[in-house]
Amino acid sequence: MKNLLVLLFSTFILFSFNNPEKSVWQLDGGHSSLRFSVKHMGVANFNGNFEKFKVTVNTKGDDFSTMEVEMSADVESLNTGNSMRDKHLCAEDFFDAKKYPKISFKSTSVKKKGKNGYIVKGDFTMHGVTKQVELTAVHNATVVLKEEGQEIPLAGFKVSGVVKRSDFGVAPSFQSVADEVYLDADIEIFKAPIEK
């Protein structure tokens, strides 16, 4: 019985030291951007961005190889620098923003690649269709900010990937715009301060 108690106590201690608390990282929207690029008529790319989007990252401690990522963007906030084109992209024959107002991503796995890179796979939902996509995330750096007596880690990432419009039923017959849409984001996230 004594040996059993010692084993249980040792296991508890070991588990406690190897099970860091969950960290919640929130988006610093003022220093982040979510963009897309697509080729027009096979000649040149035109670019756009989503002005309203959210990102939340959960990690075990500060280990980004354990990260769980959720992202959503408001379709009607897209901006290509041309209001008539933006209106067309939000219409029923493209994104149909009234019916499908959000584009979202939820990670299902993360694999470290090289020193600062990660391959993030997850469920990407657009136009009412969900497909698994693969994104590449590069951890630029983490710095520590001091605010109201607390030290708050701030991390930066470059994220990129590609999706096909036809996979999600977004204007698949529209030929003047390429099927491949390139995604590119610069993200700053900060660890939520501990409540006192």
Side-chain angles (χ1 to χ4, degrees):
M1 176 63 74
K2 183 178 179 181
N3 290 338
L4 178 60
L5 290 174
V6 170
L7 178 62
L8 290 174
F9 181 74
S10 299
T11 302
F12 173 77
I13 294 296
L14 182 65
F15 179 77
S16 298
F17 281 101
N18 287 280
N19 187 35
E21 292 183 4
K22 182 176 78 170
S23 298
V24 179
W25 301 74
Q26 299 174 348
L27 182 71
D28 179 354
H31 298 97
S32 302
S33 58
L34 176 59
R35 303 174 296 275
F36 60 90
S37 176
V38 63
K39 188 162 288 186
H40 178 248
M41 299 296 291
V43 175
N45 289 340
F46 76 84
N47 307 301
N49 69 287
F50 293 95
E51 296 182 348
K52 295 181 180 178
F53 66 99
K54 298 177 181 178
V55 177
T56 301
V57 178
N58 294 327
T59 60
K60 292 180 181 178
D62 295 339
D63 183 2
F64 286 110
S65 67
T66 68
M67 63 182 161
E68 300 172 348
V69 183
E70 290 193 40
M71 179 279 296
S72 67
D74 292 354
V75 175
E76 288 192 327
S77 75
L78 68 83
N79 179 8
T80 66
N82 183 305
S83 59
M84 290 184 63
R85 179 168 57 210
D86 295 346
K87 186 176 181 180
H88 183 203
L89 290 174
C90 289
E92 290 182 13
D93 59 340
F94 256 91
F95 284 113
D96 197 358
K98 295 296 182 185
K99 188 174 182 180
Y100 307 109
K102 300 282 187 182
I103 294 173
S104 65
F105 175 81
K106 185 174 183 179
S107 65
T108 55
S109 70
V110 175
K111 183 177 180 180
K112 202 165 191 308
K113 182 180 180 181
K115 184 178 179 181
N116 299 316
Y118 299 88
I119 301 299
V120 185
K121 294 182 180 179
D123 294 328
F124 188 91
T125 301
M126 181 168 65
H127 202 248
V129 178
T130 300
K131 298 277 187 180
Q132 186 159 105
V133 303
E134 182 177 292
L135 302 176
T136 299
V138 177
H139 178 209
N140 299 323
T142 298
V143 298
V144 177
L145 307 177
K146 291 186 177 180
E147 185 174 309
E148 297 181 358
Q150 293 198 69
E151 293 186 343
I152 302 175
L154 176 71
F157 283 85
K158 165 71 78 173
V159 183
S160 59
V162 60
V163 297
K164 290 187 176 182
R165 294 185 296 113
S166 58
D167 287 345
F168 299 88
V170 178
S173 61
F174 200 80
Q175 299 298 315
S176 65
V177 176
D179 193 23
E180 294 81 9
V181 180
Y182 292 87
L183 307 175
D184 177 50
D186 287 294
I187 304 295
E188 284 192 13
I189 50 175
F190 64 91
K191 188 190 289 188
I194 299 172
E195 293 185 4
K196 294 183 178 180

